[in-house]
Amino acid sequence: MVWRREREELALSCFGLLGILALLAKFRFALLTAGDQWGLAAVTAHLAPGGTKWFHAISTLGSPVITGTLIMGIAASAWWHGDRHHAWFWGSVLLSGDVVAWLVKQLMVRPRPTLPVLADGGYSFPSGHVFSAMLLALVLWQVLRHQLAAGRLRGSLTGLVGLGVLLILISRLVLRAHYPSDTVASLLLATGWWLQWQVGWPFLVLWRYRYLGRHDGQRSRGH
């Protein structure tokens, strides 16, 4: 199908760009390192004294725990209202995506920027905050598409969702928890994983129903 091929191509493009970025970061390519340092300096150049507290609040609200909980809450609401297809999809893309993002962190083992505003553990590449925020944005975008007709309201709400991701991204830079390339990597990984999960989802659904159907049949014969 055309939509499947388009999503596969977009997913591969995201993963390809992510791979290039990861290699440049892993081997500390001079141009990328300079760009990262320039980006960190740029976002804090005109920051007023004490201004980081607002970005700390945004970063806290955009933590993977909170954004992940929101995604699971949306999935639970969909399940409650009988939309089990989307409930399974949203829950599974979050859990599987978190595993993938964690594995990439362990492969990259990139240290965080020096002189952080607040101490933060773990590795830097990619940003877990931005990754989870982007997945939440994609879930909300899909909800808006199904619940609202195309128009000014849907466009405005979609813009607000995008602005939320941007603010979380900037907050991680202001707090010196990540380099700019870490946040770009998260956007690529989240988008690519979402698209790839859409491509593979019909096959997973088919396998699940076949497995459950066979399992239920065997259990019925046992009784």
Side-chain angles (χ1 to χ4, degrees):
M1 296 176 65
V2 175
W3 71 267
R4 181 176 298 165
R5 185 173 66 252
E6 290 177 345
R7 282 164 175 75
E8 284 179 337
E9 292 174 352
L10 287 173
L12 287 175
S13 297
C14 288
F15 291 145
L17 292 173
L18 174 63
I20 294 171
L21 194 58
L23 288 173
L24 295 177
K26 183 73 172 178
F27 295 103
R28 301 180 182 179
F29 185 64
L31 190 58
L32 179 67
T33 301
D36 278 335
Q37 294 300 333
W38 177 86
L40 287 177
V43 296
T44 58
H46 304 289
L47 193 65
T52 57
K53 65 180 182 180
W54 300 109
F55 290 101
H56 178 244
I58 293 171
S59 178
T60 301
L61 291 174
S63 70
V65 173
I66 293 179
T67 51
T69 300
L70 287 173
I71 292 174
M72 295 306 292
I74 295 171
S77 177
W79 182 282
W80 178 261
H81 289 91
D83 187 2
R84 297 191 174 185
H85 175 82
H86 282 109
W88 275 109
F89 179 82
W90 294 331
S92 61
V93 75
L94 170 67
L95 296 176
S96 61
D98 282 346
V99 171
V100 171
W102 181 84
L103 288 174
V104 174
K105 275 184 178 286
Q106 306 314 305
L107 288 172
M108 291 296 297
V109 294
R110 188 187 198 187
R112 292 186 184 273
T114 57
L115 303 176
V117 175
L118 295 172
D120 204 340
Y123 299 119
S124 186
F125 187 105
S127 166
H129 281 67
V130 177
F131 176 80
S132 296
M134 187 61 186
L135 282 185
L136 175 60
L138 289 167
V139 169
L140 292 174
W141 169 74
Q142 199 168 55
V143 170
L144 291 173
R145 283 189 61 201
H146 283 84
Q147 297 298 324
L148 295 175
R152 185 174 299 176
L153 177 59
R154 193 173 86 179
S156 299
L157 292 175
T158 302
L160 286 175
V161 170
L163 178 61
V165 175
L166 180 61
L167 288 174
I168 292 171
L169 186 155
I170 293 174
S171 73
R172 300 306 287 164
L173 300 181
V174 169
L175 297 176
R176 295 186 65 88
H178 290 284
Y179 295 104
S181 57
D182 300 331
T183 61
V184 173
S186 297
L187 296 176
L188 291 170
L189 180 59
T191 303
W193 191 251
W194 174 274
L195 292 168
Q196 192 59 54
W197 205 249
Q198 282 187 321
V199 171
W201 183 246
F203 301 101
L204 292 174
V205 170
L206 182 61
W207 174 85
R208 182 167 60 89
Y209 278 118
R210 284 180 175 176
Y211 172 78
L212 290 176
R214 182 169 63 251
H215 181 72
D216 290 342
Q218 291 174 350
R219 186 167 54 186
S220 298
R221 287 194 296 271
H223 287 296

